[in-house]
């Protein structure tokens, strides 16, 4: 059982470049989330989804986009990378029964 | 909107001692769930313990227990007989039971160091 898989684990981007962080879960969870964690800080919600075709903004959505075409996949898109987006990004999924959120291993992104 | 506050950025305790991490939260909802997650240096987020707001009994998981004070909106974590493997960041989190609007909100974390 793979759980939540994020790729890549590390990435360096130049200012203005774009990229997509991939997130896949194999637990048939309806709820999926994207968080960013700045050094020494907590997790801030970027976007979330309660099911395929449904997405909504979290606390810090500016500069990001998401889509949810399938239950399994929830990619996060950065269109014009900025140094302020340097962070560790976590994808998470949850069944919707408020039991436990499962997290990916994180993607460390550096924008230079 | 809900908020979660952890007022202790860092704590340290001797191995085998007991430590309590504080968490307060704010929400106008009555049905919600509270969690403590652990993030060791590996960065993996691990669920430590979970509490349903409608339950008066405090949750326990082996050496981990909570003190849930609903009226005071307080949710502290007690770690008994602390071990070196407990060294990690600990995050308090809240989710509201509102179908279609469940957003897991985290506090800023407490860095706990267990001293040998």
């Amino acid at each position: 059982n793979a759980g939540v898989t994020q790729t890549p684990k590390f990435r360096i981007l130049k200012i203005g470049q774009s990229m997509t962080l991939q997130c896949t879960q194999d637990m048939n969870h309806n709820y999926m989330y994207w968080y960013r964690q700045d050094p020494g800080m907590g997790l801030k919600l970027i976007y979330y989804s309660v099911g395929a075709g449904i997405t909504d903004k979290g606390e810090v959505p500016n500069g990001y986009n998401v889509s949810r075409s399938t239950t399994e996949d929830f990619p996060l898109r950065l269109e014009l990378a900025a140094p302020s987006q340097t962070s560790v990004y976590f994808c998470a999924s949850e069944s919707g029964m408020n039991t436990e959120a499962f997290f990916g291993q994180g993607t460390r992104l550096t924008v230079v | 909107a809900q908020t979660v506050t952890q007022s202790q950025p860092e704590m340290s305790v001797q191995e085998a001692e007991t430590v309590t991490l504080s968490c307060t939260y704010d929400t106008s909802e009555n049905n919600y769930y509270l969690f403590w997650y652990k993030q060791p240096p590996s960065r993996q987020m691990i669920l430590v313990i979970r509490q349903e707001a409608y339950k008066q009994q405090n949750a326990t998981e082996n050496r981990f227990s909570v003190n849930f004070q609903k009226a005071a909106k307080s949710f502290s974590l007690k770690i008994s007989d602390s071990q070196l493997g407990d060294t990690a960041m600990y995050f308090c989190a809240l989710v509201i039971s509102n179908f279609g609007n469940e957003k897991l909100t985290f506090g800023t974390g407490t860095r706990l160091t267990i001293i040998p």
Side-chain angles (χ1 to χ4, degrees), chain B residues 4-80:
Chain B
V4 177
T5 302
Q6 294 179 250
S7 58
Q8 305 153 312
E10 294 188 28
M11 295 187 73
S12 60
V13 67
Q14 292 288 138
E15 189 177 7
E17 290 186 348
T18 295
V19 62
T20 299
L21 309 183
S22 301
C23 173
T24 58
Y25 60 93
D26 189 30
T27 178
S28 57
E29 301 290 335
N30 198 43
N31 296 321
Y32 51 89
Y33 295 78
L34 293 157
F35 305 83
W36 278 99
Y37 280 88
K38 169 184 177 181
Q39 186 182 42
S42 66
R43 273 191 350 219
Q44 183 64 43
M45 294 287 284
I46 303 165
L47 178 67
V48 175
I49 201 164
R50 170 179 175 266
Q51 173 82 42
E52 296 95 329
Y54 62 85
K55 287 188 176 179
Q56 293 184 340
Q57 186 174 6
N58 289 325
T60 61
E61 285 289 340
N62 301 315
R63 298 183 295 108
F64 299 88
S65 61
V66 299
N67 183 3
F68 174 47
Q69 302 288 329
K70 190 171 184 179
K73 296 183 178 176
S74 170
F75 183 61
S76 61
L77 173 70
K78 185 171 84 170
I79 305 174
S80 303

Side-chain angles (χ1 to χ4, degrees), chain A residues 7-77:
Chain A
T7 56
K9 287 187 171 54
F10 304 92
R11 183 73 186 268
I12 298 175
L13 277 184
K14 293 184 178 180
I15 294 172
Q17 286 186 321
S18 61
M19 75 165 293
T20 299
L21 281 66
Q22 302 292 345
C23 177
T24 299
Q25 52 94 6
D26 61 359
M27 296 171 283
N28 202 34
H29 285 169
N30 284 322
Y31 291 76
M32 296 188 74
Y33 308 85
W34 273 107
Y35 291 90
R36 59 176 287 172
Q37 184 180 26
D38 298 330
M41 301 295 288
L43 282 75
K44 293 187 177 179
L45 183 63
I46 305 171
Y47 270 96
Y48 68 106
S49 169
V50 300
I54 306 169
T55 62
D56 207 347
K57 296 178 180 179
E59 186 183 355
V60 290
N62 292 342
Y64 307 94
N65 277 300
V66 294
S67 60
R68 184 93 183 271
S69 57
T70 66
T71 298
E72 296 78 18
D73 301 309
F74 190 42
L76 177 72
R77 178 88 177 157

